[in-house]
Amino acid sequence: MCGRYFRRSDKQKIAEAFHVKQVVDFPLPPWDYNVAPQTMQPIIRANRDTGERELVQLRWGLVPFSTKSLADLKGKSTINARAETITRGWWAQPFKKRRCLVPASGFYEWTHDDPKNKRPFAFDLANGKPMGFAGLWDAWKNPTDGSWLQTYTIITTDANELMTIVKWNKA
DNA sequence: CCAGACGTTGTT
DNA sequence: GTCTGG
DNA sequence: CCAGACGTTGTT
DNA sequence: GTCTGG
């Protein structure tokens, strides 16, 4: 679940909906109907110093702190973490100390019945309100150049009654 | 998650 | 960092 | 003990 | 088939 999602709220609306105290200055389109892994996206986390909620930009696809080389992640996917496993392994540290909220309006799922005819379906909250995926984030220092990379993952769980197939409003 | 690329030599 | 397999 | 992995989805 | 970029 959740390899791609969409966002209808701008920074202002996100800040209001999630009671954000500090909004970092980065450009953000008022909507994005194709939020893809490996791109920079807004997330909400506790500020390191004040503990207050801040809206910042991180890259989707968690690179664990202990990663020695990005090549180690080749062939693995860290865009999602199962709720059942986040207390162990790579996720343990982020789960303890680095949780976040990922503002969104809904997400996509694809049918694979016919491989030649993949079809996307969109889901959002039945009440149409902004939603926040539960997420984890981490910071990784690139040993090559010493730069820091901050990333996040979205926690997945079973299908439930909160989500419904999107009824797109016409104009 | 999907879509699209996936190579080399040697030239300007 | 932490867990598993050997 | 050390070495090496550490993931997800969805399909068969 | 598998990897990368978005």
Side-chain angles (χ1 to χ4, degrees):
Chain A
M1 182 181 101
C2 209
R4 205 169 287 213
Y5 61 96
F6 58 95
R7 172 180 57 76
R8 293 169 171 137
S9 304
D10 58 18
K11 291 174 82 173
Q12 178 66 33
K13 285 184 178 175
I14 293 171
E16 286 173 7
F18 294 97
H19 312 292
V20 171
K21 292 292 189 295
Q22 308 171 28
V23 179
V24 171
D25 183 33
F26 61 87
L28 185 71
W31 39 254
D32 186 344
Y33 284 97
N34 187 24
V35 177
Q38 306 305 327
T39 61
M40 300 297 290
Q41 298 299 333
I43 65 112
I44 296 149
R45 69 180 177 191
N47 179 275
R48 177 188 354 211
D49 301 319
T50 65
E52 291 186 327
R53 289 186 178 197
E54 61 178 4
L55 183 62
V56 294
Q57 248 192 338
L58 271 65
R59 201 184 75 174
W60 185 13
L62 191 142
V63 178
F65 178 84
S66 59
T67 302
K68 293 176 182 64
S69 161
L70 289 181
D72 296 345
L73 293 177
K74 193 184 292 180
K76 321 217 178 214
S77 174
T78 55
I79 63 174
N80 294 135
R82 294 168 53 86
E84 294 86 344
T85 60
I86 54 176
T87 59
R88 300 194 293 276
W90 274 343
W91 316 122
Q93 293 296 106
F95 175 62
K96 283 181 192 165
K97 302 179 178 179
R98 291 182 291 280
R99 302 181 188 184
C100 65
L101 284 171
V102 182
S105 298
F107 58 91
Y108 302 105
E109 295 290 341
W110 282 261
T111 59
H112 295 270
D113 317 339
D114 177 4
K116 285 167 290 188
N117 189 24
K118 255 182 276 189
R119 281 206 304 148
F121 287 86
F123 298 83
D124 68 358
L125 287 177
N127 61 19
K129 288 182 177 176
M131 55 182 296
F133 295 126
L136 306 174
W137 67 274
D138 210 343
W140 177 73
K141 189 176 186 179
N142 187 331
T144 303
D145 60 8
S147 64
W148 284 91
L149 176 65
Q150 298 196 58
T151 56
Y152 70 94
T153 190
I154 292 172
I155 299 171
T156 61
T157 187
D158 296 333
N160 60 59
E161 302 302 316
L162 296 174
M163 308 307 300
T164 182
I165 292 210
V166 174
K167 299 178 181 69
W168 299 103
N169 292 319
K170 291 186 178 176

